[in-house]
Amino acid sequence: MSALTRFLGDTPLRVLLKLLVVSFLVGLVMNAFGWSPVDVLYGIRNFFVDLWNLGFRAIDRFLGYILLGAAIVIPAFILLRIANYRK
């Protein structure tokens, strides 16, 4: 077996034929949906940007809940400490 055949996993002619068939099928599906290669790249980029923003939005929401609760808990804690200090 030659180094090229080992690298490709099959004979070069069979690999070329498989790549042509898969390329045709992918092109057919992309044309049916009206997609272009640039649309696919933008879609992948937008996916990761949205995922990044979603993570920070979740952290922001979590910190917002903590601050909202702290607006009640901290003054109540201070009042309870003052009330118990006299005893």
Side-chain angles (χ1 to χ4, degrees):
M1 191 177 335
S2 72
L4 181 62
T5 303
R6 268 185 303 178
F7 174 73
L8 294 176
D10 207 350
T11 62
L13 186 59
R14 288 186 67 166
V15 171
L16 179 65
L17 183 62
K18 290 176 188 178
L19 289 174
L20 284 173
V21 169
V22 171
S23 296
F24 174 74
L25 292 174
V26 169
L28 191 67
V29 169
M30 286 180 67
N31 188 40
F33 286 109
W35 295 342
S36 70
V38 174
D39 294 332
V40 174
L41 291 176
Y42 283 146
I44 292 170
R45 183 187 66 89
N46 289 338
F47 170 76
F48 285 108
V49 167
D50 290 343
L51 188 64
W52 178 270
N53 291 336
L54 178 66
F56 284 114
R57 193 174 308 130
I59 291 170
D60 181 47
R61 183 184 284 166
F62 178 73
L63 291 176
Y65 291 150
I66 289 176
L67 291 174
L68 187 61
I72 300 299
V73 170
I74 300 299
F77 173 76
I78 292 171
L79 289 174
L80 287 172
R81 294 300 293 171
I82 290 172
N84 287 334
Y85 183 70
R86 286 191 260 152
K87 293 181 184 180

